[in-house]
Amino acid sequence: DSGVTQTPKHLITATGQRVTLRCSPRSGDLSVYWYQQSLDQGLQFLIQYYNGEERAKGNILERFSAQQFPDLHSELNLSSLELGDSALYFCASSVGSSANYEQYFGPGTRLTVT
Amino acid sequence: GQSLEQPSEVTAVEGAIVQINCTYQTSGFYGLSWYQQHDGGAPTFLSYNALDGLEETGRFSSFLSRSDSYGYLLLQELQMKDSASYFCAVSLTGYSTLTFGKGTMLLVSP
C-alpha cells in the first residue's frame, strides 16, 4: 500500500459525458502527478501540481483539467469523453517538486467509455 | 524531443539472471529511474541512478552510463513474482516530471 488513494476504482460512462477522478496523496507529500495508461502503452504524463499550484503540463487534452485543493487532494476532470479516453488513470505523489524524488502511485481508476 | 527504447518482452526461468536495457535520447538528462508494474496494478519505484555506475538493492541492481545514454536493470535469482512490466523513466535538468518508456514485460517461467 503506497498510501496514495484514488476513487473511484472503476468508472463506466458514455461518450460525451464528464467524470471526475479523485486522488489523495501520501501524508506529507506536496506533489501530485496524473498519468494516463492505455492498453499496451506506457505511462503518459498528464499534469503535475505542487502545493496547490500547477507545476508542469504534459500531453493533457484541452477537454481534461485538474486542480489541487488546499488539503492537497487533487481531482482530474475529463469532459466530452470519447472512446479513446478509456484507460487506467494513475495519480502519484512525491514529497518534493523535483522528478528526482520517488513517486508513489495510487491503485488507479479504470475508466471505460462506451 | 525525448525517446526511450527498451525491449517489449523478455523471458527467463526461475533462478536465472535477466537484464533489461534502456537507451535514451534526451537533452538535459539528469537521472534514470526504474518502476515495476504488475498486471493492472500500481507502478512501484525500484531504483534511481543519477551518476554512472551500479546501484544495488537486494536482488535488483540498476546501472547507468551517461556517456552511452544507456542503463539497465538487473534482476537476480528470479522468482515467479518478478513477472511484471518494468519501465525506465528519465528526468531532465530543470524539469519536475518523468518521461516513461513503453515498458518491458518480463515473463518468468518455472
Side-chain angles (χ1 to χ4, degrees):
Chain A
D1 184 357
S2 66
V4 178
T5 61
Q6 287 187 250
T7 56
K9 199 173 176 69
H10 300 278
L11 199 49
I12 302 174
T13 189
T15 54
Q17 295 298 303
R18 173 189 168 95
V19 297
T20 297
L21 313 183
R22 184 188 167 103
C23 167
S24 291
R26 285 191 329 155
S27 176
D29 284 358
L30 299 179
S31 261
V32 169
Y33 300 81
W34 285 98
Y35 293 90
Q36 179 191 59
Q37 186 175 38
S38 304
L39 195 64
D40 296 330
Q41 292 293 312
L43 289 151
Q44 299 291 318
F45 166 70
L46 295 178
I47 197 163
Q48 178 202 7
Y49 279 82
Y50 177 74
N51 204 20
E53 301 283 330
E54 183 183 302
R55 185 79 167 83
K57 234 175 182 177
N59 301 320
I60 188 165
L61 300 171
E62 283 191 19
R63 301 183 285 108
F64 296 1
S65 65
Q67 54 184 329
Q68 186 179 31
F69 295 86
D71 66 353
L72 300 178
H73 92 271
S74 178
E75 292 181 356
L76 178 67
N77 301 295
L78 315 176
S79 61
S80 302
L81 284 167
E82 302 175 359
L83 295 177
D85 298 326
S86 296
L88 256 176
Y89 291 84
F90 286 104
C91 158
S93 73
S94 67
V95 63
S97 63
S98 163
N100 305 324
Y101 291 97
E102 175 180 345
Q103 294 186 19
Y104 295 85
F105 283 76
T109 293
R110 185 173 293 280
L111 173 67
T112 302
V113 182
T114 62
Chain B
Q2 309 151 41
S3 70
L4 292 94
E5 295 288 333
Q6 50 181 133
S8 59
E9 189 174 304
V10 172
T11 58
V13 296
E14 261 188 309
I17 299 173
V18 73
Q19 179 174 313
I20 299 174
N21 299 321
C22 174
T23 57
Y24 57 86
Q25 285 188 319
T26 67
S27 53
F29 173 84
Y30 194 87
L32 185 72
S33 301
W34 288 91
Y35 283 77
Q36 178 194 58
Q37 184 183 31
H38 285 97
D39 191 30
T44 55
F45 173 82
L46 292 176
S47 68
Y48 172 71
N49 295 69
L51 303 175
D52 285 355
L54 193 68
E55 296 276 345
E56 297 180 68
T57 310
R59 295 187 298 115
F60 294 2
S61 304
S62 58
F63 172 83
L64 176 66
S65 169
R66 297 173 70 99
S67 59
D68 295 323
S69 298
Y70 163 75
Y72 65 73
L73 181 69
L74 191 73
L75 297 87
Q76 302 181 74
E77 299 172 21
L78 280 173
Q79 302 175 9
M80 296 293 289
K81 67 178 182 179
D82 297 329
S83 292
S85 291
Y86 293 84
F87 294 88
C88 60
V90 294
S91 52
L92 306 180
T93 302
Y95 288 84
S96 58
T97 61
L98 291 173
T99 300
F100 284 83
K102 290 194 179 298
T104 298
M105 185 176 294
L106 171 64
L107 300 170
V108 181
S109 56

